[in-house]
Amino acid sequence: MSDSILVLNAGSSSIKFSVQTPTGPDTVRMLAVGQIEGIGTHTHFIAKSADGAVLAETRWPDGAGPANHDAALHVISEWLDGFLGDARVLAVGHRVVHGGSNYTGPVAITPAVMAKLRELVPLAPLHQPHNLAPIEAVGTRYPGVLQVACFDTSFHRGHSFAAEAFAIPYKFYEQGVRRYGFHGLSYEYVSRRLLEIAPDIAHGKVVVAHLGNGASMCAISDGASVESTMGFTALDGLAMGTRSGQLDPGVLLHLMGSLGMTVPEVTRLLYHESGLKGLSGISSDMRDLEQSADPHAAAAIDYFVYAIRKQVGALAAAMGGIDALIFTAGIGENSANVRRRVCDGLQWLGVDLDGDANDHGADVISAPGSRTRVMIVRTSEETMIALHALEAMSAEAVA
Ligand code: ADP
């Protein structure tokens, strides 16, 4: 096996990983991908090769598996040692949700950086601690190996004040209450892919719709993010699998003031019981909703599509035009139905969808004469993280 970069994406009860080997100064190839989920409960570990073949799989009886992230990382690294054989772990790239207002790009982890990243926990209390959890364990398991934190927020750090502020007293902006934007690693990857496959578009005005379980959209002008539908947290903007998306703050006042709901109750409601799941009462999964005959499923999809279409208009306005609309992530890459329904209302913006190309999931799904090009670009946040780790390795080698 070849020397490789390990990419880790740790959530509250899971660690997703991928193994990527450098193939050039700024290219990598995925060798394996996997995850350990249900940490502390019904734990399941799986590793697959790049072509989807199962390389290893373990299911533990309830409570008998790894009890925490340290133990879970041990399972991954034991498997990795066998997988890599004599080859080395060159670097470890971590997905970290929040880089605050200072980190405009990835950063090599040092004790001082870790201290700064811990200070950001109050800005993302549900995600940041889990993202940081494996870093120390990796330091023990692979002493001296370069670790790099890659942030979901960095790509958006060039936003104007108007795009970044809330119109509440300025002191809150100074305290960090800002619209940070998220999914930045996905948008950065899509921007890089566009440079390769459609350079004219990459230098133009592009709206990217990242539609997965989490969903957001980004306005990208000449490769730079200028606006995002996500704000202070990853709750804002589009309705998602289980998250509410945009909400009048008065609703919160009502829930907590008039209805007496507590902060944990509202948190649970907005993060886990809303969005497609809350509206349909059926499922957070778009495939389930598309297969359902229940009118609530149809209403949830209507809401989802309507919010996307509204945001295409808003983001085009933020850039003063639009040259391309890009769909990415699970729903964006796979649901011809959602793409068609979004585009059906966008003829006024120069969108002319090619129905056949859309049904077949082609790379370009707009008709040849369409003023606005519509494309599907498959995202890969883990590739972006591996590329950042590779860049950090070169920077270290030069220093
Ligand atoms: P995550 O944000 O967890 O990475 P994904 O990007 O994998 O999520 O997207 C998951 C979403 O993609 C789910 O709503 C799922 O139903 C949807 N999806 C995946 N494949 C299809 C498909 N063929 N048709 C419609 N929706 C799909």
Side-chain angles (χ1 to χ4, degrees), residues 2 7 9 12 22 30 42 46-47 52 59 63 67 79 97 106 213 227 255 270 282 311 339 344 348 375 399:
S2 323
V7 173
N9 179 359
S12 56
M30 203 241 279
H42 332 282
I46 190 160
R59 272 179 213 282
W79 168 80
V97 67
N213 283 316
E227 179 60 275
L255 296 177
L270 299 183
I282 295 170
Q311 289 297 340
R339 292 191 303 259
D344 267 354
W348 66 278
M375 298 175 68

Side-chain angles (χ1 to χ4, degrees), residues 313-348:
L315 296 175
M319 292 185 288
I322 178 170
D323 298 310
L325 171 61
I326 313 288
F327 289 97
T328 194
I331 300 171
E333 293 168 20
N334 297 302
S335 174
N337 174 52
V338 166
R339 292 191 303 259
R340 177 181 52 75
R341 295 197 46 201
V342 168
C343 291
D344 267 354
L346 293 176
Q347 286 85 355
W348 66 278

Side-chain angles (χ1 to χ4, degrees), residues 43-59:
T43 317
H44 174 220
F45 167 76
I46 190 160
K48 294 180 179 179
S49 64
D51 57 12
V54 175
L55 300 171
E57 184 164 18
T58 312
R59 272 179 213 282

Side-chain angles (χ1 to χ4, degrees), residues 159-182:
H159 287 188
S160 66
F161 174 77
E164 203 172 61
F166 294 106
I168 56 177
Y170 185 71
K171 68 174 183 190
F172 292 105
Y173 178 83
E174 290 180 310
Q175 289 169 15
V177 183
R178 301 178 184 195
R179 300 187 62 248
Y180 290 98
F182 297 89

